[in-house]
Amino acid sequence: MGCLFCQIVEGEIPSEQVYEDATCLAFRDIRPQAPSHVLVIPKQHLDSLWDLEDPELAGQLLSAAAHVARQEKLERGWRLIANTRSEGGQEVDHLHLHVLGGRPLGSMLPSAGV
Ligand code: AMP
Ligand code: ZN
C-alpha cells in the first residue's frame, strides 16, 4: 500500500506504458534524462534489486529491458541502471531498471550526468 509503482501497476496512477507481459511492466519516466528513458518493473512488489532472489524473475526483467531497447530502436547503444537503496540513489522503493538511450551517454560515472 502506498507504493507509487504498485499504483501504476494497478492503473490507479496513469503512466505511458510501452511494454507489458505476465510479470513485468515498462513505462516512460516522467523526468526523462535521455530521449528514451523507460522504467522496467516487476508487477510484484520488491523494494529493490537487493531483494531480487528469484533468477527467473531476474531473467524476465532483463529480457523485458532488452525488448524495450529494441522497441525504442536503441541500436546505437543504451544503458541499464538499477539505483539500489539510499546510497545508490534510489528514490522509489519498488525495484526498477532504467533503460536510457537516444543520445551519447558518455562515461558511466554519475558525475557525467546519468
Ligand atoms: P530512482 O532514483 O532510480 O528511484 O528513480 C525513480 C524514477 O522514477 C525517477 O527517474 C523519476 O523521474 C521516476 N518517476 C517518479 N514518479 C514517476 C511516475 N509517476 N511515472 C513515471 N516515472 C516516475
Ligand atoms: Zn510497489
Side-chain angles (χ1 to χ4, degrees):
M1 282 300 287
C3 170
L4 177 64
F5 288 174
C6 281
Q7 288 175 283
I8 285 179
V9 171
E10 296 302 322
E12 294 163 5
I13 289 177
S15 69
E16 193 182 335
Q17 294 186 14
V18 299
Y19 173 79
E20 180 176 14
D21 62 28
T23 51
C24 306
L25 184 67
F27 53 91
R28 296 200 187 279
D29 196 294
I30 41 162
R31 294 195 303 270
Q33 305 298 311
S36 285
H37 188 172
V38 174
L39 301 177
V40 179
I41 70 169
K43 290 180 174 175
Q44 160 201 344
H45 182 93
L46 291 173
D47 282 349
S48 79
L49 194 56
W50 182 261
D51 307 287
L52 181 59
E53 297 186 51
D54 176 354
E56 189 177 355
L57 180 58
Q60 287 163 331
L61 281 166
L62 199 53
S63 204
H67 179 96
V68 166
R70 289 191 295 272
Q71 190 173 288
E72 294 285 302
K73 305 191 187 314
L74 301 180
E75 63 279 347
R76 291 168 67 88
W78 56 290
R79 181 170 295 162
L80 193 61
I81 293 177
N83 297 324
T84 304
R85 294 196 149 183
S86 57
E87 289 195 6
Q90 185 175 1
E91 291 177 356
V92 176
D93 290 332
H94 180 128
L95 170 59
H96 53 281
L97 304 177
H98 294 255
V99 172
L100 288 150
R103 66 167 170 84
L105 295 168
S107 163
M108 66 179 291
L109 297 174
S111 59
V114 173

